[in-house]
Amino acid sequence: MNIWGKYLKWRGWSVEITAPFLDKCVICVAPHTSNWDFILGLAAYKSLGRNANFLMKKFWFFFPLKYLLKHFGGIPVESKKKSGKSLTEQIIADFDRRDYMNLAVTPEGTRSYTEQWRTGFLYIAYGAKVPIELGVIDFKNKRIIIKDVYHPTGDVEEDMKNIKKYYSQFPDAALYPEKFSAKI
């Protein structure tokens, strides 16, 4: 067991990641109501010797923080004005360029209550032709779960409905359940 696994065990968490190891995928992580979601998700993935990427505004990639963020999988994101491409196009291009990329995203896009989930991760997965692993940070039962893999169809509305249906099984999993909604 590595340091990440020891940290989780010390905190009383279990890791239930049985989805196959993939060189390329999007990892949809919900519910997302706390900054602890990032730390616990990173620790769980690292405990298995896997690396995940995450998106962060380029603004945060300053010396010396940029070295730490990149080490842990951070991908600096340029604004559309500077790059000329949408974020979705930038990330699909990253998937094309890389041999390995497991991109963790939180579709809620906020730690506050919202019923409107962001669809960018669906466009990215479909455009990059990669599956979506469905991850849950379950605070109630202190477990991190990634068991199921979803293959996007390109019908964003239907895909979102199916993914929200999956997450509706975990209404009390969030650290702050009142901030989580998987309503279709």
Side-chain angles (χ1 to χ4, degrees):
M1 180 181 300
N2 61 24
I3 193 167
W4 300 98
K6 287 177 184 176
Y7 167 76
L8 289 169
K9 187 175 181 180
W10 173 70
R11 298 281 315 267
W13 285 79
S14 66
V15 177
E16 300 174 21
I17 299 179
T18 58
F21 178 76
L22 302 170
D23 287 335
K24 295 184 180 186
C25 68
V26 170
I27 307 164
C28 178
V29 183
H32 177 52
T33 64
S34 162
N35 286 330
W36 281 105
D37 303 336
F38 170 76
I39 294 163
L40 292 166
L42 175 68
Y45 223 58
K46 291 276 192 191
S47 76
L48 298 177
R50 298 182 185 184
N51 294 311
N53 299 101
F54 57 92
L55 305 175
M56 188 174 272
K57 291 178 185 174
K58 189 171 183 175
F59 167 82
W60 291 105
F61 286 78
F62 56 83
F63 180 83
L65 187 58
K66 69 180 176 182
Y67 297 108
L68 184 63
L69 292 173
K70 285 186 178 184
H71 175 76
F72 286 122
I75 299 172
V77 177
E78 289 273 4
S79 68
K80 186 175 180 177
K81 286 181 182 178
K82 291 182 181 176
S83 72
K85 291 182 178 180
S86 71
L87 176 58
T88 301
E89 292 169 324
Q90 290 175 53
I91 300 308
I92 290 171
D94 270 355
F95 268 106
D96 289 342
R97 273 193 301 274
R98 297 172 182 230
D99 293 328
Y100 177 90
M101 187 169 177
N102 284 199
L103 179 66
V105 296
T106 55
E108 294 153 288
T110 180
R111 291 178 306 276
S112 301
Y113 181 86
T114 184
E115 292 178 12
Q116 187 66 41
W117 288 15
R118 307 240 174 144
T119 56
F121 77 102
L122 291 167
Y123 287 105
I124 289 167
Y126 188 74
K129 298 174 181 65
V130 300
I132 300 168
E133 291 190 342
L134 303 174
V136 179
I137 310 290
D138 181 359
F139 280 88
K140 182 177 181 181
N141 299 298
K142 286 194 159 187
R143 58 193 185 138
I144 295 115
I145 307 162
I146 304 178
K147 293 182 178 180
D148 296 292
V149 178
Y150 184 82
H151 296 275
T153 65
D155 180 340
V156 173
E157 190 174 310
E158 189 65 24
D159 287 338
M160 184 62 81
K161 190 161 89 174
N162 291 332
I163 288 171
K164 281 185 158 188
K165 183 177 180 183
Y166 174 83
Y167 284 103
S168 69
Q169 301 173 74
F170 305 97
D172 299 323
L175 180 57
Y176 303 106
E178 69 278 5
K179 292 184 178 182
F180 177 62
S181 173
K183 289 183 183 175
I184 299 170

